[in-house]
Amino acid sequence: MPAARARATPDLIDQILALDPGRRAIAALARPGAAAAAARALLRARRALIVTGFTVEPETHETDGPPGAAVLGRALRALGADVRYVTDQVNVPLLEAVLDALGEPADVSVYPDGDGAARAVLAATRPTHLVAIERPGRNRAGDYLNMRGESIAAWNAPVDDLFMRRSRATTIGIGDGGNEIGMGAARATFARLGRLEARIASVVRVDHLVVAGVSNWGGYGVVAALSRLAGRELLHTPDVERRMIEACVAAGASDGVTRRREPTVDGLPLEVHAAVVELLRWAARSGIIRA
Ligand code: ZN
Ligand code: ZN
């Protein structure tokens, strides 16, 4: 294929991650090659610490995040990494439920209280890689805001401290709304989209930012890219995707957009997510087998 055409046509994984069902200007924020770069950084991860869990209002914990975290964690474990998860107490059952649906062990800890929390977690786990997927990141004022611009600081621990301390870990952030850990890397573009965007925009940067129409898809996209690099299938199946989201809701999760306790993610029904998983499986395979 001529180089000019290769540049003009984004990789299929990037095309899938650029889908924008929530009309959130994903195309402006997404960077072609981001999932592949994150995958290259993660390929030889030894100790991965994955954070997720987004409480949009009291008793309303998103279905977006835990499935993506679990699928990425499963892939990293298959590649030989030690994988641990950290979240808020309220999100522990959600993460355990999706890990169980994947047949994965659940090494899930609660982020501790107090000023020394980040230092304590880093000292105990010594991660080589820190990964955030759909996890609130502070804005310029130090607050945490949901997509409606309301403060959610009371229900989401300052887990982003892990990413703001100077540590040796490589950092990866996956998000879909601009208010998550990692989006600091695209803040200038995002904040220009409007006044609400400028208020909610997170300042928390990462080494590798992956933006997708739904954060779970961003996690799956990184796993599709890992599958290509490793030359083996690391993604789950559409059937497991359905079971994972149903298990997440049964464990207490809600849709972060509709805020209803039903098996949807960001307002999109199960079959849409199953279809994206199937597409990404195809994209991963097409990167291995060349016609
Ligand atoms: Zn989000
Ligand atoms: Zn989302």
Side-chain angles (χ1 to χ4, degrees):
M1 187 192 288
R5 180 136 56 97
R7 263 201 302 280
T9 307
D11 183 272
L12 184 53
I13 293 175
D14 293 321
Q15 293 183 50
I16 297 164
L17 297 197
L19 291 171
D20 193 359
R23 290 201 257 181
R24 293 175 177 174
I26 297 299
L29 300 168
R31 296 166 187 186
R40 278 194 299 275
L42 285 164
L43 188 60
R44 283 178 192 87
R46 288 171 54 215
R47 291 179 301 278
L49 186 61
I50 304 180
V51 306
T52 189
F54 203 122
T55 299
V56 296
E57 66 181 21
E59 309 300 317
T60 308
H61 323 297
E62 280 202 45
T63 45
D64 195 13
V71 167
L72 180 52
R74 172 176 172 266
L76 295 177
R77 237 172 51 78
L79 293 171
D82 173 67
V83 178
R84 298 171 191 211
Y85 304 86
V86 170
T87 189
D88 305 299
Q89 181 72 60
V90 289
N91 278 300
V92 172
L94 278 58
L95 203 41
E96 286 178 344
V98 295
L99 286 163
D100 187 57
L102 272 176
E104 279 289 290
D107 190 339
V108 184
S109 315
V110 176
Y111 191 73
D113 289 329
D115 285 345
R119 195 181 318 155
V121 169
L122 291 171
T125 55
R126 296 187 305 117
T128 58
H129 292 70
L130 272 167
V131 183
I133 171 158
E134 190 63 18
R135 178 72 207 181
R138 71 192 61 183
N139 67 4
R140 202 176 252 174
D143 201 358
Y144 301 83
L145 304 183
N146 64 20
M147 295 294 286
R148 300 180 187 178
E150 304 152 341
S151 178
I152 52 167
W155 315 293
N156 295 272
V159 173
D160 56 351
D161 262 343
L162 290 169
F163 292 73
M164 302 186 79
R165 297 190 67 81
R166 204 180 289 175
S167 83
R168 283 209 204 121
T170 300
T171 54
I172 289 105
I174 301 170
D176 61 5
N179 55 348
E180 302 97 351
I181 291 176
M183 286 292 194
R187 191 183 184 283
T189 308
F190 183 68
R192 252 180 277 150
L193 295 173
R195 285 177 66 181
L196 176 66
E197 287 84 352
R199 275 185 62 227
I200 72 171
S202 175
V203 296
V204 183
R205 295 172 156 275
V206 286
D207 300 322
H208 299 281
L209 170 65
V210 178
V211 180
V214 174
S215 291
N216 283 341
W217 301 354
Y220 306 160
V222 173
V223 174
L226 276 168
S227 298
R228 282 184 185 170
L229 290 173
R232 58 192 273 209
E233 184 61 80
L234 296 166
L235 263 176
H236 58 310
T237 62
D239 200 43
V240 171
E241 173 73 9
R242 293 184 196 96
R243 273 188 272 139
M244 222 177 11
I245 294 170
E246 277 168 351
C248 196
V249 174
S254 302
D255 186 298
V257 170
T258 68
R259 301 194 175 183
R260 287 198 286 267
R261 196 164 288 189
E262 55 192 20
T264 60
V265 181
D266 290 358
L268 300 164
L270 273 187
E271 287 315 309
V272 171
H273 301 283
V276 167
V277 170
E278 188 60 53
L279 262 178
L280 282 168
R281 286 172 67 87
W282 166 252
R285 280 198 301 273
S286 71
I288 297 166
I289 304 160
R290 291 177 199 281

